[in-house]
Amino acid sequence: MIKALVITAPGINCDLELAEGFALAGATPCSVHINELLENPSIVDEADIVGLPGGFSYGDSIAAGRIMANLMRKTLYPKFVDALRRGVPMIAPCNGFQIAVQLGLLPGPLPGSDLEESAPTPTIALAQNDSARFVDTWVEFKVPSNTRCVWTKNLQTSAVSAVIPIAHGEGRFVPANETVMQDIEESGLVACRYGAKDNPNGSVGDIMGICDASGLVLGLMPHPERFLRWTQHPTWTRLSKEQQQGDPLGLQMFKNAVKFAKQSSSNCVEQSV
């Protein structure tokens, strides 16, 4: 059994959709409130996959995701590092992405560098949309050929299916400097991009989502958990049966992670025998 830990908190409102994504992909979701995790961090040790859902954690006070990230820095960050070392995939859509960035999970150290035991200072930001407005729509989804991300590799998409929903007011990807941007690009940390003419927030490099050096942690502004069925596609009633063949984009991503988690779990069992 693959156990998927879904971390909830005040203001989080996409936890049920995230849990459904894990369940449809073959994992067993378990939702745990952040207060319980802070009291018992060892719960993370039992997880095969971890999800930081979207929403408005703690009302996005101070800045989106910052309060929840600060709560997790000392107690839970080391547990996340341990989980990554044993091959646990993690996903952080929308507010989860903002939390993961503030926490220091993303982009994390460059390939070849060791994971830090304490949370590093963020090197990227998810700033206010350049329109200064909340954007709720569907956008084109593209995956770079050199990505390390286990969630977005080898997705089977077409012009019709390569779309994904977004809903955010602070999603503009901004690196601290040109060196950070160059490292992210050249190290294969870009997990997905907006279409060149479909960038909804002014993100530098059309970056929609990134992963860490292991490829296990995916942070992205869209909501893959909202595209698990073809009936969620914005024009599904006009799509032919042929166009609706195969799994929708979001479900493919969750299945990628569950497959990887099963392989990691098997490897751990073999090593312990």
Side-chain angles (χ1 to χ4, degrees):
M1 180 183 75
I2 297 300
K3 184 175 181 179
L5 173 64
V6 179
I7 302 174
T8 67
I12 291 292
N13 61 16
C14 298
D15 50 311
L16 295 181
E17 293 94 330
L18 196 63
E20 183 179 30
F22 288 133
L24 290 175
T28 301
C30 176
S31 295
V32 179
H33 194 279
I34 186 174
N35 289 351
E36 184 177 351
L37 281 180
L38 293 173
E39 292 177 4
N40 185 12
S42 62
I43 292 174
V44 179
D45 298 335
E46 303 170 3
D48 300 299
I49 305 178
V50 174
L52 284 169
F56 304 90
S57 60
Y58 295 93
D60 280 349
S61 298
I62 306 175
R66 183 170 296 177
I67 291 179
M68 188 164 172
N70 285 341
L71 288 172
M72 295 193 291
R73 268 182 173 269
K74 290 185 178 180
T75 306
L76 294 178
Y77 181 83
K79 286 297 183 181
F80 292 145
V81 170
D82 290 342
L84 291 175
R85 286 174 176 159
R86 58 187 174 86
V88 173
M90 302 183 185
I91 189 169
C94 201
N95 194 221
F97 190 10
Q98 295 160 342
I99 293 166
V101 166
Q102 295 286 340
L103 181 56
L105 280 176
L106 291 169
L110 292 174
S113 303
D114 293 332
L115 287 166
E116 301 177 30
E117 295 299 332
S118 58
T121 301
T123 58
I124 65 171
L126 294 164
Q128 186 182 58
N129 298 345
D130 59 4
S131 66
R133 295 185 177 185
F134 188 92
V135 179
D136 183 358
T137 188
W138 286 67
V139 293
E140 184 182 358
F141 180 95
K142 301 176 68 176
V143 178
S145 59
N146 70 332
T147 188
R148 293 172 173 265
C149 185
V150 302
W151 295 80
T152 61
K153 273 185 178 180
N154 304 317
L155 297 175
Q156 303 299 311
T157 61
S158 63
V160 168
S161 63
V163 292
I164 196 166
I166 62 167
H168 59 257
E170 297 178 44
R172 178 166 54 93
F173 181 91
V174 182
N177 52 55
E178 292 184 4
T179 300
V180 170
M181 185 67 178
Q182 183 176 354
D183 288 340
I184 288 173
E185 291 278 9
E186 294 181 354
S187 300
L189 304 189
V190 179
C192 45
R193 297 185 196 272
Y194 301 106
K197 297 181 180 180
D198 210 9
N199 184 332
N201 50 37
S203 290
V204 176
D206 297 324
I207 291 181
M208 170 190 287
I210 62 172
C211 65
D212 69 331
S214 70
L216 293 171
V217 185
L218 168 63
L220 73 170
M221 287 312 301
H223 290 273
E225 73 279 11
R226 296 181 184 176
F227 191 18
L228 304 174
R229 298 176 175 82
W230 281 106
T231 50
Q232 294 173 310
H233 189 283
T235 62
W236 75 273
T237 58
R238 297 194 293 275
L239 299 181
S240 66
K241 290 184 178 180
E242 290 74 21
Q243 289 175 311
Q244 298 181 54
Q245 291 298 310
D247 292 323
L249 176 66
L251 184 55
Q252 287 187 53
M253 293 167 66
F254 284 99
K255 284 189 173 181
N256 272 356
V258 170
K259 180 180 178 181
F260 187 93
K262 287 179 178 178
Q263 293 171 344
S264 294
S265 179
S266 297
N267 291 337
C268 289
V269 171
E270 290 174 2
Q271 291 173 7
S272 64
V273 173

